[in-house]
């Protein structure tokens, strides 16, 4: 995935879409105050400049699906593993909730589900039948909407072809009004995401840790064409 920070307006449409697509439960005010909120994707805010010329900036943060993921080797039951597609996956019915993976994630992208989800009727009818409703006591995280990836792969296999560029779009990227999030196969040099990842503006979060994130961020372009 590529996230263009010059396009992100901090509207949080991606956050809402992720919750709706992946059955992420809503945390109440008390849970949030205790640091028990669940967000598969969040918008970090930071300030540039000094008052009165300070400007707010936005940084969408989700699981980076690292090639050298620090969350995977610490799981005692192998609930966190790496898929052939390059995703950091989580086996919910294997997880025992020791939270080692969450403690070892430098991006704070893994969330512990403290409580069983509750949806009052008729809100339960909005749940996505393609996504598991997680019980309490397990870790959960962004999956790049793996259910959409599998659907596209199965459809392409029936037609005897490869998945086309742009055929898979996670909920966060689909909902972004400015197209700040772009998803695709970075191993395909002709894909849009691969072309954007080669931009001079590209960087990775905490790149010095050597986690090899699969998400490339594009720096903001400041006034006068300078990058910021």
């Amino acid at each position: 995935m590529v996230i263009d920070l010059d396009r992100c307006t901090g509207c949080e449409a991606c956050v809402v879409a992720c919750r709706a697509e992946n059955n992420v439960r809503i945390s109440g005010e008390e849970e949030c105050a205790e640091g028990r909120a669940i967000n598969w994707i969040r918008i970090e805010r930071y300030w540039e400049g000094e008052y009165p010329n300070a400007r707010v900036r936005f940084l969408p943060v989700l699981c980076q699906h690292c090639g050298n993921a620090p969350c995977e080797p610490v799981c005692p039951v192998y609930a966190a593993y790496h898929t052939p597609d390059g995703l950091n996956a989580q086996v919910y019915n294997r997880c025992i909730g020791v939270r080692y993976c969450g403690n070892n994630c430098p991006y704070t992208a893994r969330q512990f589900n403290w409580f069983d989800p509750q949806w009052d009727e008729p809100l339960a009818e909005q749940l996505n039948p393609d996504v598991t409703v997680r019980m309490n006591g397990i870790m959960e995280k962004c999956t790049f909407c793996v259910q959409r990836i599998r659907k596209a792969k199965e459809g392409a296999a029936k037609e005897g072809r490869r998945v086309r560029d742009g055929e898979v779009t996670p909920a966060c990227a689909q909902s972004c009004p400015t197209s700040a999030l772009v998803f695709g196969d970075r191993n395909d040099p002709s894909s849009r995401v691969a072309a954007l990842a080669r931009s001079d503006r590209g960087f990775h979060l905490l790149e010095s840790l050597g986690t090899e994130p699969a998400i490339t961020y594009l720096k903001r372009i400041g006034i006068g064409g300078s990058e910021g």
Side-chain angles (χ1 to χ4, degrees):
M1 177 178 284
V2 170
I3 301 178
D4 190 344
L5 300 182
D6 201 44
R7 290 175 174 264
C8 180
T9 63
C11 69
E12 298 199 11
C14 55
V15 178
V16 176
C18 177
R19 289 185 175 277
E21 173 72 18
N22 295 292
N23 301 335
V24 180
R25 69 176 181 83
I26 303 298
S27 303
E29 184 177 352
E30 294 182 359
E31 294 179 43
C32 293
E34 295 178 359
R36 296 179 176 179
I38 290 183
N39 294 292
W40 282 18
I41 179 173
R42 66 184 187 275
I43 305 297
E44 296 281 2
R45 292 183 296 174
Y46 62 97
W47 298 89
E48 285 185 350
E50 298 181 359
Y51 180 84
N53 299 317
R55 295 184 178 183
V56 65
R57 305 301 191 195
F58 305 101
L59 181 73
V61 179
L62 60 159
C63 175
Q64 303 293 299
H65 293 275
C66 307
N68 186 25
C71 58
E72 295 173 355
V74 296
C75 181
V77 293
Y78 305 104
Y81 74 101
H82 214 71
T83 71
D85 294 329
L87 302 179
N88 297 138
Q90 180 78 2
V91 183
Y92 297 128
N93 61 359
R94 183 181 292 175
C95 178
I96 59 175
V98 293
R99 292 183 285 170
Y100 293 165
C101 59
N103 292 333
N104 222 37
C105 175
Y107 307 101
T108 318
R110 286 177 170 266
Q111 311 292 320
F112 184 72
N113 198 343
W114 291 88
F115 306 100
D116 283 325
Q118 299 290 335
W119 283 279
D120 297 331
E121 294 295 339
L123 296 179
E125 298 179 6
Q126 73 175 349
L127 297 178
N128 187 348
D130 295 329
V131 180
T132 302
V133 177
R134 284 78 59 191
M135 67 181 72
N136 68 338
I138 65 170
M139 299 297 295
E140 56 181 80
K141 55 177 281 298
C142 161
T143 65
F144 273 162
C145 292
V146 67
Q147 67 277 3
R148 297 190 177 193
I149 298 176
R150 290 174 177 170
K151 182 178 181 180
K153 291 178 65 177
E154 291 171 358
K158 290 179 181 179
E159 298 177 7
R161 58 173 178 81
R162 293 174 59 87
V163 177
R164 302 186 185 97
D165 184 34
E167 191 171 358
V168 181
T169 306
C172 56
Q174 181 183 16
S175 65
C176 183
T178 60
S179 300
L181 288 75
V182 179
F183 183 80
D185 184 3
R186 65 176 181 177
N187 292 323
D188 180 5
S190 63
S191 67
R192 184 186 177 199
V193 73
L196 290 172
R198 293 191 295 266
S199 169
D200 294 337
R201 294 194 289 134
F203 71 95
H204 298 98
L205 288 186
L206 304 177
E207 191 169 8
S208 60
L209 297 179
T211 56
E212 302 176 10
I215 296 180
T216 300
Y217 290 85
L218 301 184
K219 297 178 183 178
R220 288 185 58 90
I221 301 176
I223 298 176
S226 61
E227 295 180 0

